[in-house]
Amino acid sequence: MTDTKDANVLKEEEIKEEAAEQVTEEAEAEEAKAGEEAEANAESENKDVQPEEDSDTRYLRLMADFQNYKRRAEKEKTDLYAYANEKIVSELLEVLDNFERALGQEAGDGFKEGMEMIFKQMNNVLEKAGLAEIEALGQDFDPNVHSAVMTEESEEYESGKVSGVMMKGYKLNGKVIRPSMVKVVS
């Protein structure tokens, strides 16, 4: 009887193994079929959404995007270098204004000559850094570079022209860092 039990147990195990293999095969077949259907659907959706592009076209687009990125990065880097000194130059403008005021005062010849030399030296250093004075007197009023403080009547200048400069304006590498404060003929 034990032999019969053992034989029955072995048969049951074989039947279970065969059933498990059959279920596994059916599951794999269903997964493969579902995967093929998903790929077919994805391909048909891609064809509907985007026209088919060959690899050369994709490569050219990628190269163009990369070149545009390089240009933008280079421009940002150049701008960063060009305007890195803006804060210190802006603060030095006040010192420059005080030099001009001091030079306008009457004093001994030696003092005035020394101040002029210092002023000239400071101007040269700032010009090398990219600072440029905004020309204003006699020019057309431009709100981008001039700040109108007052208006006046003038025989010397026509309407819309700058007739006086209250405070000089400056540009650093072409960017206005302080507009000129001016009088404008009305």
Side-chain angles (χ1 to χ4, degrees), residues 140-155:
D140 287 332
F141 175 75
D142 181 1
N144 296 317
V145 294
H146 302 132
S147 178
V149 177
M150 59 191 297
T151 60
E152 66 180 1
E153 297 294 325
S154 174
E155 300 278 328

Side-chain angles (χ1 to χ4, degrees), residues 1 35 40 67 69 76 86 102 104 110 123 127 144 152 163 166 173 176-178 184-185:
M1 206 164 352
Q67 288 174 348
Y69 165 76
E76 289 172 2
E86 182 175 352
N123 259 342
E127 284 176 5
N144 296 317
E152 66 180 1
S163 61
M166 310 282 281
N173 297 319
V176 176
I177 59 173
R178 183 173 84 180
V184 181
V185 178

Side-chain angles (χ1 to χ4, degrees), residues 1-122:
M1 206 164 352
T2 56
D3 289 324
T4 316
K5 276 187 179 181
D6 287 337
N8 286 341
V9 169
L10 286 174
K11 270 193 166 185
E12 285 178 23
E13 288 178 6
E14 288 176 5
I15 292 172
K16 286 180 183 178
E17 286 178 6
E18 288 176 9
E21 286 177 9
Q22 189 176 9
V23 167
T24 304
E25 289 174 5
E26 289 176 4
E28 288 175 357
E30 286 180 13
E31 286 179 4
K33 186 177 179 181
E36 290 173 5
E37 288 177 2
E39 286 179 20
N41 287 340
E43 287 178 11
S44 68
E45 287 176 7
N46 285 341
K47 286 180 183 177
D48 292 342
V49 174
Q50 295 177 342
E52 190 174 313
E53 294 181 319
D54 60 350
S55 62
D56 290 341
T57 306
R58 281 183 273 160
Y59 175 74
L60 290 174
R61 287 179 192 237
L62 183 62
M63 284 297 291
D65 287 343
F66 181 67
Q67 288 174 348
N68 290 337
Y69 165 76
K70 281 176 48 177
R71 276 191 224 114
R72 278 193 310 271
E74 187 64 32
K75 184 182 183 317
E76 289 172 2
K77 185 177 172 184
T78 303
D79 289 347
L80 180 67
Y81 288 134
Y83 301 114
N85 297 330
E86 182 175 352
K87 182 177 179 183
I88 189 141
V89 170
S90 295
E91 291 174 6
L92 283 174
L93 290 178
E94 294 175 24
V95 176
L96 198 64
D97 290 339
N98 289 333
F99 267 116
E100 287 179 339
R101 287 185 199 107
L103 289 173
Q105 301 298 318
E106 293 296 322
D109 289 335
F111 174 76
K112 186 169 182 169
E113 186 177 321
M115 290 294 284
E116 285 174 349
M117 289 171 58
I118 294 170
F119 179 72
K120 191 178 283 188
Q121 181 183 18
M122 187 170 187

